[in-house]
Each structure stands twice: as structure tokens, then as C-alpha cells.
Amino acid sequence: MNKQEHINYTRIAEAIEYIQQNFTEQPTLEKIAKKVHLSPFHFQRLFTDWAGVSPKKFLQYISVQYAKEILNNSQATLFDTAYQTGLSGTGRLHDLFVKIEGMTPGEYKNQGKNLAINYSFTESLFGRILVASTHKGICYMGFSDDKQIAFSELEKRFPKANFIQQIDEIQQNALQIYTQDWTKINKIKLHLKGTDFQLKVWEALLKIPTGNLATYGNISKAIQKPKASRAVGTAIGKNPIAFLIPCHRVIQSTGVFGGYMWGTTRKTAMIGWEASKVNNSNLTT
């Protein structure tokens, strides 16, 4: 993502935040464009280029009513559908190409001691991202406009690791999810630090189909812990891999999107963008 693309996303994010806060009023194109200091024509074109759909259609995708419709769809709440092949391209399910490997008990206990971690910063569709990897796979991926804050978060997770700022093949392969057809990406491996319970929750998140949403209760049932919704919420909040492990697809049972570690506006943008991509894929298949 170049400087202009970053500026464009910033404008789109501002528009999305405005839409999210005012969707019940169904703001007009002119009103939203004015909010981000663009002409209606320029805003319509910019937004459509970014999301693949018009601002009006995107507004429908990210409204609470959309969330409720998704949750009322039996395919969105039954996890066995996640094992189906899914759509081509960006509709491909994460669990078809992501493999989780938990750190050994020794690695977990030693907080990354003697573990070499490569890390790099890059611009993605949803803003600047820090991605880190061990020789086994991606161990962290998080959004942050401030590089120091992002790196501090990585250090907290592995306080005794050896960090090297460099991009490697593992990172490059993972970052292709933003630009490439997922069917052409090599299997992405994740090397995660977490408890057995957390790993089960994160694996369940990978089974939520692209463009669909699930509740904390859905995840609890998927891991056969139907009364553990609160614990599931805590585990989701500790997810160390943004976007790849799609915790942004989990919302409240009321249909409200709820919070997100990397910002509610970014979560809303991801949900709407994925929904628009799946909708476009359905129209072309």
C-alpha cells in the first residue's frame, strides 16, 4: 500500500465510522461525502474502488439488521458448513490453508527464550500492520499506526525472544492474503503461544466462512463448551493474529458488532469488505 492508498483508506475508515454511528438515519451519499471533505462523485468512486460496492450497499452490509440476517441464516450458525469448499477466490475458507501449531510447553513457559523472531512492518488494506514469524510460522500479526506501540505489544508476548527486523518468506506468503487469490497461496502456518483452551477457540474461529458472522455462543458450542461464552470471549480477545484468525467475525447475539482489539472501525470495515467480496463472487459464479 503506497502513501496515497493509505490516505484513501484513512478517508474510507472515517466514512465507515460515520456510517456506523449514524446508520439508523440512513445518511445520504452527499452527507457522507461532506463528512470526509470530498465531492459526492469523487467519494462514490473512491469508496467503490476500495470496497467493490457503492457506499449505499456497504451501509446495508454493516448495519445491525445485516448482522441479524446473517445470524438468522442457518449456514452462518452451523459450523459443519465451514468444512464445505466455499467460494473461489476471496471466499475461500481460512481453514483450508491455515495450519496451527502450538508452542511446546517449554517454549510457552520460557516466554520465547532462545526463540528467534523476524518481524516487519507493511501497509495492508486495513492500515499498517506488524507481522512476526519464527522458523515454524507466523507468531503475531497486529494493526497499529504507531510502530513503537506495535513492537511493544509483540515484546510483551515474547519478552525473552531475540528480535530481528527483517521480512522473510513466511511473512511474505501470509501477507498475500490482501492481494492474491487465496487459491494460489501456499499453506500458511501459525506458531502460536496459548493455552489448550485458547488454541481450540482460535481453531474454531478459522471455521467461520468468509462473509459470515458467529456469536460467542456459536463458538462455545463449536468447542463443546456451551456454557463457556465468557471464557470464549476472553480467549478471542487474546487472539494474536489479526485477520488470518478472523476474530472480527464474532459479534454479540443481539446483532451488535461489539469491540475489537485493533479498533471497532477496522472491524466494521473488515466485515463489510468481506461481505461485499462474497456478494460479488456470488454474482459472478
Side-chain angles (χ1 to χ4, degrees), residues 16 47-53 58 61-62 90 125-126 177-180 182 210-211 243 248-249 266-280:
I16 288 172
F47 196 102
T48 303
D49 286 344
W50 185 85
V53 292
F58 196 87
Y61 288 145
I62 66 173
T90 56
L125 186 63
F126 303 104
I177 59 172
Y178 297 105
T179 58
Q180 301 294 322
W182 291 1
T210 303
F243 196 77
H248 60 277
R249 296 180 192 157
R266 185 172 279 116
K267 176 177 182 175
T268 304
M270 289 178 177
I271 290 174
W273 181 79
E274 288 185 333
S276 67
K277 294 302 178 184
V278 170
N279 181 67
N280 288 341

Side-chain angles (χ1 to χ4, degrees), residues 40-259:
F41 174 78
H42 188 193
F43 174 67
Q44 173 98 351
R45 186 174 62 181
L46 178 64
F47 196 102
T48 303
D49 286 344
W50 185 85
V53 292
S54 68
K56 182 178 179 179
K57 181 66 70 173
F58 196 87
L59 171 60
Q60 296 172 352
Y61 288 145
I62 66 173
S63 67
V64 173
Q65 184 58 43
Y66 167 76
K68 290 181 178 179
E69 288 175 1
I70 289 291
L71 290 174
N72 288 333
N73 183 330
S74 61
Q75 289 186 341
T77 57
L78 298 178
F79 272 77
D80 55 357
T81 63
Y83 293 101
Q84 298 175 5
T85 301
L87 302 169
S88 61
T90 56
R92 189 171 171 82
L93 301 182
H94 281 293
D95 60 324
L96 293 183
F97 70 93
V98 176
K99 177 182 178 181
I100 285 183
E101 178 174 341
M103 291 190 176
T104 65
E107 289 173 328
Y108 187 92
K109 182 179 179 180
N110 292 332
Q111 298 181 312
K113 185 177 180 180
N114 299 323
L115 188 65
I117 296 179
N118 294 333
Y119 73 96
S120 62
F121 295 93
T122 188
E123 296 295 339
S124 75
L125 186 63
F126 303 104
R128 180 179 293 144
I129 195 167
L130 167 61
V131 57
S133 58
T134 70
H135 68 286
K136 291 184 178 180
I138 300 296
C139 63
Y140 180 77
M141 185 180 288
F143 295 100
S144 179
D145 294 328
D146 188 305
K147 289 186 177 181
Q148 187 55 51
I149 292 176
F151 182 68
S152 294
E153 179 61 33
L154 176 61
E155 282 187 310
K156 287 180 186 176
R157 295 175 181 272
F158 304 96
K160 297 181 180 180
N162 299 316
F163 297 99
I164 306 169
Q165 186 169 1
Q166 67 177 24
I167 191 166
D168 56 31
E169 186 176 349
I170 291 174
Q171 296 171 29
Q172 290 175 325
N173 184 49
L175 290 170
Q176 290 184 78
I177 59 172
Y178 297 105
T179 58
Q180 301 294 322
D181 182 336
W182 291 1
T183 62
K184 298 178 181 179
I185 299 175
N186 296 326
K187 179 169 285 190
I188 298 173
K189 295 182 179 180
L190 306 179
H191 189 201
L192 302 182
K193 174 184 175 181
T195 65
D196 289 341
F197 182 80
Q198 287 172 337
L199 292 174
K200 287 181 180 179
V201 170
W202 298 340
E203 287 177 333
L205 296 179
L206 291 169
K207 297 180 176 67
I208 306 174
T210 303
N212 285 263
L213 303 173
T215 66
Y216 298 100
N218 295 148
I219 304 297
S220 299
K221 292 177 182 177
I223 63 171
Q224 299 181 340
K225 300 285 185 180
K227 297 182 179 180
S229 293
R230 182 169 296 181
V232 163
T234 299
I236 290 174
K238 293 184 180 297
N239 169 32
I241 310 288
F243 196 77
L244 266 179
I245 298 181
C247 57
H248 60 277
R249 296 180 192 157
V250 181
I251 66 174
Q252 298 175 16
S253 59
T254 58
V256 175
F257 286 170

Side-chain angles (χ1 to χ4, degrees), residues 12-28:
I12 296 301
E14 184 180 354
I16 288 172
E17 186 171 6
Y18 178 77
I19 291 171
Q20 187 179 31
Q21 293 174 350
N22 299 276
F23 74 90
T24 55
E25 300 174 7
Q26 294 295 297
T28 63

